[in-house]
Amino acid sequence: MTRAPDTFLPALAGTLLERLRSERPRVHAITNAAAQTLTANLLLAAGGLPSLTVAPEEVAAFTSRSAALLVNLGTLDGDRLAAIPQAIATARAHAKPWVLDPVFVESSPPRLELARASLAGRPSVLRCNASEFMALAGNDAAPEAVQAFASAHGTVVVVTGAADVVTDGAHTLRIENGHPLMTRVTAMGCAGTALIAAFTALHDNALEAAASALLATGVAGEIAARGANGPGTFQPAFLDVLFNLDTPTLVACGRIL
């Protein structure tokens, strides 16, 4: 990446938010039951449109009408197990970007098997934490291992943590924005992945799109936490901040390496 990420990415994140608000692309989110409401509200606050059906008989139609797809493995009931392969196949057939969030794959062999099968569908972005990455890759989330995994699978890999690491195998970025209160609200990370999906629909460089979305949610979390008394007041404050977030704020607050 020849452009300085500490100046380029905040400006890009602001531009993508502006485009999201004006173009209102739809993200079809097959996400877990605990995350559906926050995922929809986060997309709406940022400017996008959500759809959430997991009905196998509907998912292909909804995916084909959407600008991007999110697949989250958090609650794998029968409908989701049937819908996920159909949605991925539809996204590929229509050349739509899609994002995989392999929640808790380290906890369940069938879930891990589905995640690995889904990776064969070449997601634009894989978003996971260090434990999930270790289960998928068979290695710890050292930078070299994450880069090698991204190259081998032809995808952008995001490993979230105290700092979020984003790599396409050739270039690696670290997003250092965020706040501990973001870990005290259920599904905050799952919902944030929907913004990654939305940004990949607007920007064809998945590395930059993913990093910009992580930057936007991290900055919004930091600002929301300033006036929050705890998780209960943090969540609505976060949505309000995201709704009003702009380029000057992102440039002033972004921390990217």
Side-chain angles (χ1 to χ4, degrees):
M1 179 176 292
T2 58
R3 295 167 291 197
D6 58 337
T7 54
F8 169 71
L9 276 175
L12 176 62
T15 297
L16 292 177
L17 278 173
E18 291 171 5
R19 287 186 58 196
L20 195 62
R21 292 161 183 162
S22 63
E23 298 177 29
R24 307 214 71 194
R26 182 175 298 278
V27 174
H28 188 68
I30 301 177
T31 192
N32 66 77
Q36 285 184 305
T37 299
L38 183 55
T39 297
N41 285 339
L42 184 149
L43 281 170
L44 289 166
L49 294 172
S51 56
L52 299 166
T53 185
V54 298
E57 63 272 20
E58 294 185 321
V59 72
F62 272 85
T63 302
S64 67
R65 294 178 61 249
S66 298
L69 170 70
L70 165 62
V71 173
N72 176 299
L73 305 186
T75 47
L76 285 180
D77 53 25
D79 278 351
R80 286 174 173 83
L81 283 169
I84 285 169
Q86 293 185 49
I88 292 171
T90 301
R92 285 175 56 82
H94 291 267
K96 295 179 185 294
W98 74 279
V99 177
L100 177 63
D101 193 346
V103 177
F104 286 137
V105 289
E106 76 276 20
S107 301
S108 163
R111 186 182 299 242
L112 180 58
E113 182 180 355
L114 176 61
R116 286 176 171 160
S118 298
L119 273 172
R122 301 292 292 268
S124 302
V125 180
L126 167 70
R127 185 237 174 93
C128 55
N129 61 31
S131 296
E132 292 157 356
F133 178 83
M134 187 179 300
L136 283 169
N139 296 304
D140 64 20
E144 298 80 6
V146 179
Q147 290 166 1
F149 191 87
S151 291
H153 289 83
T155 189
V156 170
V157 178
V158 173
V159 179
T160 56
D164 298 329
V165 176
V166 189
T167 184
D168 60 3
H171 304 97
T172 299
L173 298 167
R174 286 172 57 91
I175 310 299
E176 298 192 336
N177 293 98
H179 192 275
L181 275 176
M182 298 176 77
T183 67
R184 299 299 187 95
V185 175
T186 190
M188 181 64 70
C190 298
T193 310
L195 189 63
I196 295 177
F199 278 11
T200 62
L202 297 172
H203 189 65
D204 60 7
N205 184 312
L207 175 77
E208 295 175 356
S212 296
L214 291 164
L215 177 66
T217 53
V219 168
E222 288 181 359
I223 295 171
R226 295 173 190 167
N229 294 318
T233 51
F234 173 77
Q235 180 177 312
F238 171 84
L239 294 174
D240 286 348
V241 173
L242 187 61
F243 179 79
N244 291 292
L245 196 58
D246 58 19
T247 299
T249 303
L250 288 161
V251 170
C253 299
R255 298 194 303 279
I256 310 105
L257 296 176

